[in-house]
Amino acid sequence: MANIENQKFIALDISGNNYLSWVFDVKLHLSAKKLRYTIDEDNAASNDERATALIFLRHHIDDGLKYEYLTVENPLEMWQNLNDRFEHLKAIVLSKALNDWSQLRFQDFKTVLEYNSTLFKIVS
């Protein structure tokens, strides 16, 4: 990943392992730049705004994904493509969290701090 020092947060991994946190980070940063609407349906973004949002998205994805979506010229289209590719991860993360929650037992931890840490990981 070239130019990692210029990135605001960790780039989207090609496996999608960090997709859920990446989506949150992208929405926050685009909102801060007043470009959030460029990834919404039926937006009236100018070409300059679309280009800025697309550059931002491409700068924060894995190089393999950049090559895969090389011909995409609209941030909304890229957003939807990535969403279609990785949206199923929500179901996987939820089922894992539910399983971890059901397996959580206080007596399995040496300290309350360890228990709380594990508990908050599951909740988040």
Side-chain angles (χ1 to χ4, degrees), residues 8 19 25 28 35-36 38 42 48 55 67 70 81 90 93 99-100 104 108-109 111 118:
K8 308 288 186 205
Y19 175 72
D25 289 338
L28 283 176
L35 294 171
R36 170 78 195 291
T38 60
D42 301 325
D48 290 341
I55 289 167
Y67 294 123
L70 192 60
N81 288 341
K90 284 184 180 177
V93 169
N99 183 48
D100 290 348
L104 187 66
D108 291 341
F109 298 91
T111 66
T118 303

Coordinates of all heavy atoms in Angstrom, one line a residue, residues 8 19 25 28 35-36 38 42 48 55 67 70 81 90 93 99-100 104 108-109 111 118:
K8 N -6.0 8.5 5.9 CA -6.7 9.0 7.2 C -7.0 7.8 8.1 O -7.1 8.0 9.3 CB -8.0 9.8 6.9 CG -7.8 10.9 5.9 CD -7.1 12.0 6.5 CE -7.1 13.2 5.4 NZ -6.0 14.1 5.6
Y19 N -14.2 -4.3 6.6 CA -15.2 -3.6 5.8 C -16.2 -2.8 6.7 O -16.4 -1.6 6.4 CB -16.1 -4.6 5.0 CG -17.2 -3.9 4.2 CD1 -17.0 -3.1 3.2 CD2 -18.5 -4.1 4.6 CE1 -18.0 -2.5 2.5 CE2 -19.6 -3.5 4.0 CZ -19.3 -2.7 2.9 OH -20.3 -2.1 2.2
D25 N -15.8 4.7 8.8 CA -14.8 5.7 8.6 C -15.0 6.5 7.3 O -14.8 7.8 7.3 CB -13.4 5.1 8.6 CG -12.9 4.5 9.9 OD1 -13.5 5.0 10.9 OD2 -12.0 3.7 9.9
L28 N -17.9 9.0 7.7 CA -17.5 10.1 8.6 C -16.6 11.1 7.8 O -16.8 12.3 7.9 CB -16.8 9.6 9.8 CG -17.6 9.0 10.9 CD1 -16.7 8.5 12.1 CD2 -18.6 10.1 11.5
L35 N -19.0 15.8 1.3 CA -19.1 15.0 0.1 C -19.9 13.7 0.3 O -19.9 12.8 -0.6 CB -17.7 14.6 -0.5 CG -16.9 15.8 -1.0 CD1 -15.5 15.3 -1.3 CD2 -17.5 16.4 -2.2
R36 N -20.5 13.5 1.4 CA -21.2 12.3 1.8 C -22.3 12.0 0.7 O -22.6 10.8 0.4 CB -21.8 12.4 3.2 CG -22.8 11.3 3.6 CD -22.0 10.1 4.0 NE -22.9 8.9 4.0 CZ -23.8 8.6 4.9 NH1 -24.1 9.5 5.8 NH2 -24.5 7.5 4.8
T38 N -22.3 12.2 -2.3 CA -21.8 11.6 -3.6 C -22.0 10.1 -3.6 O -21.9 9.5 -4.7 CB -20.3 12.0 -3.8 OG1 -19.6 11.5 -2.7 CG2 -20.2 13.5 -3.9
D42 N -29.3 9.1 -6.5 CA -29.9 10.3 -7.1 C -29.3 11.6 -6.6 O -30.0 12.5 -6.2 CB -31.4 10.3 -6.9 CG -32.1 9.1 -7.5 OD1 -31.6 8.6 -8.6 OD2 -33.1 8.6 -7.0
D48 N -16.5 17.6 -10.4 CA -15.4 17.8 -9.5 C -15.6 17.1 -8.1 O -14.7 16.5 -7.6 CB -15.2 19.3 -9.2 CG -14.6 20.1 -10.4 OD1 -14.1 19.4 -11.3 OD2 -14.7 21.3 -10.5
I55 N -11.5 9.8 -5.8 CA -10.1 9.7 -5.4 C -9.9 9.3 -3.9 O -9.1 8.5 -3.6 CB -9.4 11.1 -5.6 CG1 -9.3 11.4 -7.1 CG2 -8.1 11.2 -4.9 CD1 -8.9 12.8 -7.5
Y67 N -7.3 -2.2 -8.8 CA -7.2 -2.8 -10.1 C -8.5 -3.4 -10.6 O -8.9 -3.4 -11.8 CB -6.1 -3.8 -10.2 CG -4.7 -3.1 -10.0 CD1 -3.9 -3.5 -9.0 CD2 -4.3 -2.1 -10.8 CE1 -2.6 -2.9 -8.8 CE2 -3.1 -1.5 -10.6 CZ -2.3 -1.9 -9.6 OH -1.0 -1.3 -9.4
L70 N -10.9 -0.6 -11.7 CA -10.2 0.4 -12.4 C -11.0 1.3 -13.3 O -10.8 2.4 -13.5 CB -9.1 -0.3 -13.2 CG -8.0 0.6 -13.8 CD1 -7.2 1.3 -12.8 CD2 -7.0 -0.3 -14.6
N81 N -20.7 -1.2 -5.7 CA -20.0 -2.5 -6.0 C -19.3 -3.0 -4.8 O -19.4 -4.3 -4.5 CB -18.9 -2.2 -7.1 CG -19.5 -1.9 -8.4 OD1 -20.7 -2.3 -8.7 ND2 -18.7 -1.3 -9.3
K90 N -21.8 -8.6 7.4 CA -22.6 -8.2 8.5 C -23.3 -9.4 9.2 O -23.3 -9.5 10.4 CB -23.7 -7.2 8.2 CG -23.2 -5.8 7.9 CD -24.3 -4.8 7.7 CE -23.8 -3.4 7.5 NZ -24.8 -2.4 7.1
V93 N -20.5 -11.5 11.0 CA -20.1 -10.8 12.2 C -21.2 -11.0 13.3 O -20.9 -11.3 14.4 CB -19.7 -9.4 12.0 CG1 -19.5 -8.6 13.2 CG2 -18.5 -9.3 11.1
N99 N -22.7 -16.0 19.0 CA -22.1 -17.2 19.5 C -21.1 -16.8 20.6 O -21.1 -17.5 21.7 CB -21.3 -17.9 18.4 CG -20.7 -19.2 18.9 OD1 -21.4 -20.0 19.6 ND2 -19.5 -19.4 18.6
D100 N -20.3 -15.8 20.4 CA -19.4 -15.4 21.5 C -20.1 -15.0 22.8 O -19.7 -15.3 23.9 CB -18.5 -14.2 21.0 CG -17.5 -14.7 20.0 OD1 -17.3 -15.9 19.8 OD2 -16.9 -13.8 19.3
L104 N -19.8 -16.6 26.6 CA -19.2 -15.8 27.6 C -19.5 -16.2 29.0 O -20.7 -16.3 29.3 CB -19.6 -14.3 27.3 CG -18.8 -13.3 28.1 CD1 -17.3 -13.2 27.8 CD2 -19.5 -11.9 27.9
D108 N -14.4 -17.8 33.4 CA -13.4 -18.1 32.4 C -12.3 -17.0 32.4 O -11.2 -17.2 31.7 CB -13.9 -18.2 31.0 CG -14.8 -19.5 30.9 OD1 -14.7 -20.4 31.7 OD2 -15.6 -19.5 29.9
F109 N -12.4 -16.0 33.2 CA -11.5 -14.9 33.2 C -10.8 -14.7 34.5 O -11.5 -14.9 35.5 CB -12.2 -13.5 32.7 CG -12.7 -13.6 31.4 CD1 -14.1 -14.0 31.2 CD2 -12.0 -13.3 30.3 CE1 -14.6 -14.1 29.9 CE2 -12.5 -13.3 29.0 CZ -13.8 -13.8 28.8
T111 N -9.5 -11.8 35.7 CA -9.8 -10.5 36.2 C -11.1 -9.9 35.6 O -11.5 -10.3 34.5 CB -8.7 -9.5 36.0 OG1 -8.6 -9.2 34.6 CG2 -7.4 -10.0 36.5
T118 N -13.4 -8.3 26.9 CA -14.0 -9.3 26.0 C -15.4 -8.9 25.8 O -15.9 -9.0 24.6 CB -13.9 -10.7 26.6 OG1 -12.5 -11.0 26.8 CG2 -14.4 -11.7 25.6

